[in-house]
Amino acid sequence: MTIKRLVAAMLLASASSSVLAEESFTVQDIQVEGLQRVALGAALNNLPFNVGDTITEFNLSRSIRTLYAAGHFDDIKVFRDGNTVIYRLRERPTINAIEFDGNKDIKEDQLTESLSGNKVEVGEPLDKTILKSIENGLTEFYHGVGKYQATVDIEVTYLPRNRVNLKIKFEEGDPASVRQINIVGNKLFSDEELLQDIESKQDLPWWRFMSSDRYQKQTLQGDIEKINSYYLDRGYLRFKVDSEQVSVSPDKESVYVTLNVTEGEKYTIKGVKFVGDLIGQEEFITKVMPLKEGQLYNGALVTYTEESIAKLLARFGYANSKVRTIPQINDDTKEVELTISVDPGKRVYVRRIDMKGNATTKDEVLRRELRQMEGAWLSNDALELSKNRIQRLPYMESVEFETLPVAGEDDLIDVAFTVKEQPSGSFNAGISYGNYMGLSFQIGVQQENFFGTGNSAGISLNTNKYQKSISMTYTDPYFTLDGVSLGGQVFYSDVDYSSASSNLEAYNQTRYGFGANVGYPINEYNRLNFGANYVVNKINSINEYDQLRHFRAVLLDAQNPDGGYHFTNYELTAGWVRSTLNRGLFPTAGHYLGASIKASTPNSDLQFFKTSFEARNYIPLSNDHAWSFLSKIELGYGNGYGDKNGYDYTLPFIENYYAGGQNLRGFESRIIGPHAIYRYADSVPGLPGGSGPGNYPSGPENDVYQVSQRSIGGNALAVVTLELITPTPFLSDDYRNSVRTSLFVDAGNVWDTEFDINRYNGLTQIQTSQQQPQLIDYSDAGLFRATAGVSLQWISPMGPLTFSLAKIIKKQEGDLQENFSFNIGTTF
């Protein structure tokens, strides 16, 4: 039987060989019909044979598959006419245009990128076989984000010259809401405990309209990880989610989620050991490592330990280290021994650092802020510090960096910093209006990045009813290579405070001078500044209110009592600044501390000192820093030192502190603080029929006084600000670094600690209007004014501007201000 089968097989093989031999022929010509866009040569190159080759019918069928694989044809037919092979082809149509209609959850650039990955783009041939898979893929995406009613349909419109238009129509529908989340198998912790911190919300009541209960598959996966971490952080090493079921309601508007879990039992750490190379830092790592023998297993601490070791290795140039923890679990004793495997890899060095995006700023201005050097080993800490230093520059909007491997080298990388500049030249303007202030305007030009050098130069011009001034400044922050700065200023002002819009007691002041300053860096965050100024002051037409008696006694020329005051001061300044802010403008994290003192020298006409302190602290409330909280305090105190002609020097009134406007939004500029007090001697009539004067002055106990409506400032200041920084409504996140919205509360006041208000006890106050301020004790710290409002800050092409709308929530009798005020200024 076996021999018969073998003989039969040999006969069949022989017959097949003879048939194939009979069907073989030599190709004398190849003809191709139907080509329009595809070149003839391109079509012939895809054929597995040429003219002169001997082929069979098998070769012809194989050539059809080869031509289809080239992707240019929809239909292929082959014929044989003698020894001539004829191909009749129908080319795939070319995509002329792609249109999207109805898509909201997917942006057009995302769709375009996805289609390009499937070779569906304008100018390319259309493979209609993949259109259905594209429809299904997009529909699956919508199901993943909870839109189970979504449909996607691709319409093909045929055009002349074998072209087509594609129109992808979306019917997204409403997202399904999470109606209920059930956890099955949990006994140790309730559903409420496990679900309180997850992002997926279930069956929200109507009043929580700011929250969303929309179902999204990706969000659910993240929530499962949170539940898993919840157990691992509490020692339940064997916890696992056995399964998850998502059920969609028949109307596709709701989903029900069920998680089946196994909790397991608690495990404690039996011991921790290291294997691998710790580059000589094992003793340090062991001391600071939070994992200790005998403590409850904690998944978060394990992850923190791995990340900390990796960061430590990265500081020494081992940027590609691998740190993983291998648990050896003993289910009988409920203990786990942790083995931390450390593979530092090769030390990585920086070959080159490139700067991108700086169209205006010179490379050297950015490079001098770098703390990661070329040729040195790579340090993530140095890169982050370099990024923060560049980002603190006031003309930088954003800074990012990436490390790029060098081809063929496993221990070299390049670093590319990409910066986005913002307007470095500023055109600052301030406009405000009040019932008693009228309209005022100020304008200034400041260039923080002068011709891309990083130097600061500016000129400021102010004009309104009571002021004309000009000032010019210039600062080189890197006068020396190690960061010593040098700057100078020249200024002149002529101010007439007799206008009611000034809010100050009337006088005329002419002031001019010049100065220089130098700064020294202590470290990355601290800096000292020193300066010297020569200042000349001329004051005329001043109303001699009672608080000026010391100033008058010290400076008044007895030979020319109506000549005003003319004095020259030589002023020295010193300051300290500490800043860890993450940005120069619109910071969202870090703190700023600044303290300064200004004092005139003993050979000056006036001897005084003036101190100030400012502290700002930004606390991010969200991971993306879209929400942040700012607390700020501003303090000031000044006084005189020494004496002249038996009178102690006090702080000159022109150096007084003021509040209102920029530092106490909602109140008029400089309106807050002590008011001027005028004291008048009373008189009694003369004797009837006498020859003497008609009136005689009475004793000082019968004096009367009047309190002005205008402020004179004081020698002490305190202002506190609380501010909630929020995303700007209806504005894309792309503008987050140039537009800021915040809700604020300002509170503060100004006092005169040297003026004895008790001298007016028992005297009569002259009332000239219903709004006349009452005599109060300005040393009372409880007399804070407060405002609340909303602020919008914008870094415009003309520079930074602030728009604020505020309501006064606490004021005092005599404060001339409406409840609401709208201000435009430049408070940053």
Side-chain angles (χ1 to χ4, degrees):
M1 186 68 179
T2 303
I3 294 176
K4 291 182 179 180
R5 290 180 177 176
L6 181 59
V7 171
M10 293 175 63
L11 292 174
L12 287 173
S14 176
S16 298
S17 177
S18 62
V19 170
L20 289 174
E22 290 177 358
E23 293 181 352
S24 300
F25 67 97
T26 301
V27 178
Q28 295 181 350
D29 189 19
I30 300 175
Q31 297 179 6
V32 181
E33 301 175 356
L35 293 180
Q36 297 180 18
R37 178 179 53 84
V38 181
L40 176 61
L44 294 177
N45 285 337
N46 291 306
L47 295 178
F49 57 84
N50 296 307
V51 174
D53 292 345
T54 300
I55 64 172
T56 65
E57 297 290 337
F58 173 75
N59 297 116
L60 291 179
S61 62
R62 183 181 175 186
S63 69
I64 293 176
R65 292 196 299 271
T66 304
L67 287 172
Y68 270 124
H72 298 299
F73 308 106
D74 263 348
D75 186 54
I76 301 173
K77 294 180 180 179
V78 60
F79 303 92
R80 177 183 169 188
D81 185 5
N83 289 337
T84 299
V85 178
I86 303 172
Y87 286 93
R88 292 178 181 171
L89 311 176
R90 186 171 75 242
E91 292 183 356
R92 288 178 176 175
T94 303
I95 300 175
N96 178 68
I98 302 175
E99 180 184 355
F100 306 106
D101 180 33
N103 56 303
K104 296 179 181 178
D105 272 14
I106 313 179
K107 296 181 179 179
E108 289 194 6
D109 55 350
Q110 293 176 306
L111 288 169
T112 302
E113 182 179 354
S114 177
L115 293 176
S116 297
N118 289 285
K119 296 182 179 180
V120 178
E121 52 188 332
V122 174
E124 293 295 322
L126 172 64
D127 183 1
K128 291 185 290 185
T129 61
I130 67 172
L131 295 183
K132 191 63 179 178
S133 64
I134 292 175
E135 291 177 349
N136 293 336
L138 292 173
T139 303
E140 284 298 320
F141 166 81
Y142 281 108
H143 289 177
V145 297
K147 291 193 171 183
Y148 289 97
Q149 300 175 353
T151 60
V152 180
D153 182 48
I154 302 179
E155 292 183 356
V156 181
T157 303
Y158 290 90
L159 304 173
R161 302 193 305 277
N162 199 27
R163 297 173 301 139
V164 293
N165 284 346
L166 299 183
K167 184 175 184 180
I168 306 179
K169 301 176 66 175
F170 298 84
E171 293 287 342
E172 293 187 346
D174 296 325
S177 60
V178 180
R179 181 57 57 86
Q180 191 173 19
I181 302 176
N182 296 313
I183 302 179
V184 179
N186 57 312
K187 299 178 181 177
L188 301 170
F189 304 103
S190 66
D191 286 7
E192 290 75 14
E193 291 176 290
L194 297 176
L195 300 179
Q196 63 180 353
D197 293 327
I198 69 172
E199 292 187 38
S200 299
K201 304 301 179 182
Q202 58 177 331
D203 201 21
L204 291 174
W206 65 269
W207 59 83
R208 294 185 60 181
F209 58 89
M210 295 295 291
S211 302
S212 174
D213 57 1
R214 175 177 177 173
Y215 168 76
Q216 297 193 64
K217 183 177 181 180
Q218 186 176 2
T219 303
L220 179 61
Q221 294 304 314
D223 293 336
I224 292 175
E225 288 298 321
K226 286 184 179 180
I227 295 174
N228 185 70
S229 298
Y230 188 90
Y231 276 91
L232 290 180
D233 294 348
R234 289 159 177 79
Y236 296 92
L237 189 56
R238 291 296 193 186
F239 171 82
K240 64 177 180 177
V241 177
D242 299 312
S243 64
E244 58 181 276
Q245 293 92 33
V246 178
S247 303
V248 184
S249 63
D251 58 7
K252 298 182 179 181
E253 293 182 356
S254 304
V255 297
Y256 298 82
V257 179
T258 301
L259 303 178
N260 296 282
V261 303
T262 300
E263 293 179 315
E265 297 186 43
K266 289 183 179 181
Y267 284 74
T268 57
I269 298 176
K270 182 180 180 181
V272 183
K273 64 180 180 178
F274 294 95
V275 295
D277 183 7
L278 272 70
I279 63 169
Q281 301 295 323
E282 183 171 359
E283 182 179 356
F284 174 78
I285 293 174
T286 303
K287 289 181 179 179
V288 301
M289 182 184 62
L291 297 173
K292 304 297 180 183
E293 182 179 352
Q295 75 180 34
L296 200 64
Y297 177 86
N298 188 310
L301 287 182
V302 171
T303 302
Y304 173 78
T305 301
E306 293 174 345
E307 293 175 349
S308 298
I309 295 174
K311 288 181 179 179
L312 177 64
L313 296 175
R315 291 181 60 184
F316 294 92
Y318 298 94
N320 300 319
S321 62
K322 297 178 181 178
V323 182
R324 63 190 184 98
T325 302
I326 305 169
Q328 295 178 333
I329 304 173
N330 188 326
D331 291 321
D332 295 331
T333 62
K334 299 298 182 290
E335 293 178 320
V336 56
E337 187 170 357
L338 302 178
T339 300
I340 301 178
S341 173
V342 180
D343 179 12
K346 284 189 176 182
R347 176 173 278 178
V348 179
Y349 293 83
V350 177
R351 185 185 70 165
R352 185 174 64 246
I353 299 177
D354 296 322
M355 297 293 175
K356 301 178 181 179
N358 51 318
T360 301
T361 309
K362 296 179 180 179
D363 266 20
E364 64 185 55
V365 175
L366 303 179
R367 289 183 179 276
R368 67 193 185 190
E369 303 295 336
L370 295 179
R371 294 302 178 262
Q372 172 68 65
M373 298 292 109
E374 293 178 337
W377 68 59
L378 176 68
S379 170
N380 288 343
D381 285 353
L383 283 177
E384 287 293 339
L385 182 57
S386 301
K387 172 186 173 181
N388 289 338
R389 288 184 62 87
I390 297 175
Q391 200 162 249
R392 287 187 201 131
L393 297 175
Y395 37 87
M396 286 296 152
E397 180 175 331
S398 62
V399 181
E400 298 296 338
F401 68 84
E402 59 178 335
T403 56
L404 307 172
V406 178
E409 304 288 345
D410 59 357
D411 60 348
L412 288 179
I413 59 98
D414 292 335
V415 179
F417 280 87
T418 302
V419 303
K420 183 178 180 182
E421 297 172 312
Q422 60 190 8
S424 58
S426 64
F427 177 83
N428 301 333
I431 302 174
S432 60
Y433 180 82
N435 291 345
Y436 295 89
M437 186 174 66
L439 181 67
S440 64
F441 177 71
Q442 65 180 18
I443 184 172
V445 179
Q446 181 74 26
Q447 177 61 258
E448 297 292 345
N449 190 16
F450 191 62
F451 292 114
T453 63
N455 298 342
S456 174
I459 181 170
S460 177
L461 298 168
N462 295 295
T463 179
N464 48 41
K465 290 183 179 180
Y466 56 89
Q467 182 177 13
K468 295 178 180 63
S469 67
I470 182 172
S471 67
M472 292 179 287
T473 61
Y474 190 85
T475 301
D476 183 351
Y478 276 84
F479 183 71
T480 66
L481 292 178
D482 53 0
V484 175
S485 65
L486 181 65
Q489 60 176 334
V490 178
F491 53 89
Y492 171 85
S493 65
D494 185 3
V495 186
D496 178 10
Y497 291 108
S498 62
S499 170
S501 58
S502 72
N503 286 327
L504 297 179
E505 199 61 24
Y507 66 94
N508 295 339
Q509 179 190 21
T510 300
R511 182 175 182 267
Y512 59 88
F514 59 87
N517 59 80
V518 61
Y520 296 91
I522 302 175
N523 53 37
E524 298 294 346
Y525 305 107
N526 294 274
R527 189 176 187 86
L528 295 177
N529 299 287
F530 303 95
N533 297 292
Y534 170 79
V535 184
V536 177
N537 283 278
K538 296 180 181 180
I539 299 176
N540 299 289
S541 304
I542 185 170
N543 292 331
E544 300 290 347
Y545 48 88
D546 221 23
Q547 289 96 327
L548 281 180
R549 69 184 187 280
H550 273 77
F551 187 80
R552 178 182 178 87
V554 170
L555 282 181
L556 186 63
D557 183 0
Q559 304 300 323
N560 186 18
D562 298 324
Y565 307 100
H566 183 189
F567 51 95
T568 300
N569 290 330
Y570 303 92
E571 300 171 354
L572 300 178
T573 62
W576 162 73
V577 170
R578 174 179 172 82
S579 175
T580 64
L581 300 178
N582 62 338
R583 286 176 46 80
L585 289 177
F586 292 159
T588 56
H591 66 263
Y592 172 91
L593 299 174
S596 66
I597 181 171
K598 178 175 73 172
S600 62
T601 60
N603 62 328
S604 300
D605 291 338
L606 293 175
Q607 297 175 15
F608 68 93
F609 67 90
K610 189 176 181 181
T611 62
S612 64
F613 174 79
E614 180 184 352
R616 286 181 282 147
N617 189 35
Y618 294 85
I619 302 175
L621 302 179
S622 59
N623 291 333
D624 60 356
H625 289 207
W627 295 79
S628 188
F629 180 76
L630 163 65
S631 58
K632 175 183 175 182
I633 183 171
E634 180 183 357
L635 303 174
Y637 177 77
N639 214 328
Y641 69 91
D643 62 84
K644 182 179 179 181
N645 300 328
Y647 291 93
D648 292 337
Y649 284 106
T650 59
L651 184 69
F653 74 96
I654 58 173
E655 296 286 347
N656 278 349
Y657 299 97
Y658 300 95
Q662 293 185 356
N663 61 354
L664 199 57
R665 291 162 286 189
F667 285 98
E668 293 180 6
S669 178
R670 297 182 292 197
I671 194 64
I672 303 302
H675 294 264
I677 301 174
Y678 294 90
R679 182 167 178 168
Y680 307 104
D682 198 4
S683 60
V684 296
L687 296 174
S691 59
N695 295 291
Y696 291 87
S698 178
E701 69 278 1
N702 295 319
D703 287 354
V704 295
Y705 66 91
Q706 180 182 354
V707 181
S708 171
Q709 294 180 348
R710 298 187 178 191
S711 171
I712 59 172
N715 69 321
L717 164 77
V719 176
V720 177
T721 294
L722 300 178
E723 198 157 345
L724 177 64
I725 300 167
T726 68
T728 303
F730 315 112
L731 196 65
S732 169
D733 285 345
D734 297 337
Y735 298 96
R736 181 185 300 171
N737 292 331
S738 57
V739 179
R740 166 168 288 182
T741 303
S742 61
L743 305 175
F744 65 84
V745 175
D746 293 340
N749 208 346
V750 174
W751 302 272
D752 186 346
T753 64
E754 294 299 307
F755 187 64
D756 184 10
I757 204 76
N758 295 322
R759 295 168 51 212
Y760 299 91
N761 290 341
L763 301 184
T764 302
Q765 179 179 359
I766 302 174
Q767 297 288 343
T768 58
S769 73
Q770 292 182 351
Q771 291 183 312
Q772 185 71 30
Q774 299 297 314
L775 183 64
I776 60 173
D777 186 357
Y778 286 107
S779 64
D780 183 358
L783 296 174
F784 272 82
R785 277 80 156 186
T787 64
V790 60
S791 174
L792 177 66
Q793 295 172 295
W794 173 40
I795 304 177
S796 72
M798 296 184 299
L801 294 174
T802 297
F803 305 83
S804 61
L805 179 64
K807 184 182 190 309
I808 297 174
I809 55 179
K810 182 179 180 182
K811 62 179 183 177
Q812 153 188 316
E813 186 178 356
D815 288 341
L816 307 177
Q817 177 65 44
E818 298 178 354
N819 279 339
F820 283 95
S821 103
F822 176 71
N823 295 316
I824 303 176
T826 56
T827 39
F828 278 85

